[in-house]
Amino acid sequence: MTWLTWRRMSTRFGLPTMAGTDHSILEALANKPAWLPDVMHHQLHIAYQGSRLCNVLGNCEMTADGLLPNPAPIIQMFDTELRAQEARFASCWRNNEYIFFLATKLQLYSFALSTTGLELTNSAERRTEIYSHAYLTAMNLLQSALDLSTELPYWSEHQLRNVIDAVYFLLKLGGASYEFVDEAAAKNTVGQVWQLLRSRSQTEDDHVSRVCSVIEYLSQNPWKRESNVSVKIKSRMAGNLAIDSVWCARNRFSETVRAQRPVDYTSAAGIEKSLDGLDEQPWLSFFGEVVGDWECIFEKMNVESLLGSMDGG
């Protein structure tokens, strides 16, 4: 369905949906049409909840970044609604629908990562509760994805994005001092998913390869005990965490590349590496030693030509 596609695309880029929820969608949600497959009906319910929570929590007209001030009560309200939805439909979901549902829950919890997110509540217990739910949700999503590893060649871009977002969330939570985080289990899960994603890469520096590079960099020292798990990017709704992770991973590039502020950092880093490699080539050192002395150049070329003819070259 067109609305479902637009909903997923807008979430991917952290933008308000470009297609509103009309009466036909609401009617299909209330009373399933005979022509609508069960899978689409389930996904429509999940997408509708995701659209609602993103618009309420991430598209506020009263703030410059669009984030709703003091969102904790609203997050808790939507969390209750999602739990009710899970209780109603979970027995009918396939693994793909379950992953989509868990990804929607992570979108909800991601709004607690902004610097203005939960600090206004002055409730450490509420923050810990939400983050613990996010940890379990991310772990369940990644484990469900590993269970579908044989279907990896047929994963859609949306499924791939859901898995990547869950990895970013797990790495973010792993950098704070939370007792509910099982570090060994989290590291093992992230490692397995990284290997799985890496196997999908077809060419050097393709999208999946670049994602794996980001995950590898963030995984090098994720358990460094930060005082909070806030994100710096604050204007992309539920896409804040993914964009913040990629933005942070730019530090894996050299200062020279970062100073250039290129459109494509990976390509710029590749060019830099290739140029550095040229400096190590023997033929470059040959010309470098004799630059400006052309007679010496031709003399060496004649000598090498003579030796080559003597060897039958």
Side-chain angles (χ1 to χ4, degrees), residues 116-137:
T116 57
L118 298 182
E119 60 200 25
L120 299 179
T121 63
N122 295 320
S123 175
E125 292 182 0
R126 179 169 292 183
R127 288 196 298 270
T128 301
E129 179 183 5
I130 292 177
Y131 292 151
S132 65
H133 290 170
Y135 166 73
L136 294 175
T137 301

Side-chain angles (χ1 to χ4, degrees), residues 74-261:
I74 307 301
I75 292 176
Q76 189 172 22
M77 179 194 74
F78 278 117
D79 192 29
T80 301
E81 291 185 6
L82 288 172
R83 290 175 183 274
Q85 185 178 12
E86 182 177 12
R88 178 183 177 187
F89 294 109
S91 60
C92 305
W93 287 339
R94 300 183 307 177
N95 209 340
N96 289 327
E97 280 82 65
Y98 183 56
I99 290 177
F100 184 25
F101 172 78
L102 294 176
T104 302
K105 290 184 70 175
L106 283 182
Q107 290 173 9
L108 172 63
Y109 300 141
S110 70
F111 287 102
L113 296 176
S114 65
T115 54
T116 57
L118 298 182
E119 60 200 25
L120 299 179
T121 63
N122 295 320
S123 175
E125 292 182 0
R126 179 169 292 183
R127 288 196 298 270
T128 301
E129 179 183 5
I130 292 177
Y131 292 151
S132 65
H133 290 170
Y135 166 73
L136 294 175
T137 301
M139 289 290 287
N140 288 337
L141 191 156
L142 295 178
Q143 187 57 57
S144 297
L146 290 172
D147 292 340
L148 293 177
S149 59
T150 56
E151 301 178 14
L152 178 64
Y154 312 104
W155 281 12
S156 67
E157 286 299 317
H158 300 299
Q159 288 175 291
L160 185 64
R161 172 62 188 273
N162 293 337
V163 172
I164 295 170
D165 287 349
V167 171
Y168 290 155
F169 218 128
L170 204 56
L171 290 174
K172 174 62 71 173
L173 292 174
S177 301
Y178 292 119
E179 294 182 355
F180 56 78
V181 174
D182 186 333
E183 294 186 8
K187 290 179 181 180
N188 181 58
T189 299
V190 170
Q192 291 184 61
V193 172
W194 184 89
Q195 292 286 353
L196 182 64
L197 294 177
R198 190 67 181 173
S199 67
R200 176 165 171 162
S201 176
Q202 300 296 319
T203 60
E204 184 179 2
D205 290 340
D206 61 9
H207 174 64
V208 178
S209 175
R210 296 182 182 210
V211 167
C212 288
S213 178
V214 172
I215 294 175
E216 183 177 10
Y217 174 80
L218 296 177
S219 300
Q220 287 176 355
N221 190 22
W223 323 103
K224 55 186 178 182
R225 301 304 178 216
E226 299 178 354
S227 58
N228 59 68
V229 291
S230 63
V231 295
K232 296 180 180 179
I233 305 299
K234 300 186 294 181
S235 60
R236 289 290 184 171
M237 305 175 70
N240 285 346
L241 175 59
I243 298 175
D244 186 83
S245 298
V246 174
W247 192 265
C248 175
R250 292 185 311 160
N251 291 329
R252 70 188 187 277
F253 301 114
S254 68
E255 293 184 4
T256 303
V257 171
R258 297 202 304 271
Q260 295 173 1
R261 300 178 65 86

Side-chain angles (χ1 to χ4, degrees), residues 7-18:
R7 150 68 185 140
R8 288 179 168 180
M9 289 298 294
S10 62
T11 300
R12 177 178 182 180
F13 295 107
L15 300 171
T17 179
M18 301 175 64

Side-chain angles (χ1 to χ4, degrees), residues 4-29:
L4 184 58
T5 302
W6 279 118
R7 150 68 185 140
R8 288 179 168 180
M9 289 298 294
S10 62
T11 300
R12 177 178 182 180
F13 295 107
L15 300 171
T17 179
M18 301 175 64
T21 307
D22 58 20
H23 293 288
S24 62
I25 295 176
L26 295 176
E27 183 178 354
L29 290 170

Side-chain angles (χ1 to χ4, degrees), residues 28-84:
L29 290 170
N31 300 293
K32 175 181 171 302
W35 53 266
L36 185 64
D38 290 340
V39 172
M40 295 298 297
H41 188 239
H42 297 153
Q43 293 194 16
L44 195 60
H45 269 280
I46 299 171
Y48 176 65
Q49 284 292 88
S51 179
R52 288 181 60 228
L53 68 89
C54 283
N55 283 328
V56 172
L57 291 166
N59 194 26
C60 178
E61 298 180 355
M62 303 300 294
T63 59
D65 55 19
L67 297 176
L68 185 70
N70 192 18
I74 307 301
I75 292 176
Q76 189 172 22
M77 179 194 74
F78 278 117
D79 192 29
T80 301
E81 291 185 6
L82 288 172
R83 290 175 183 274

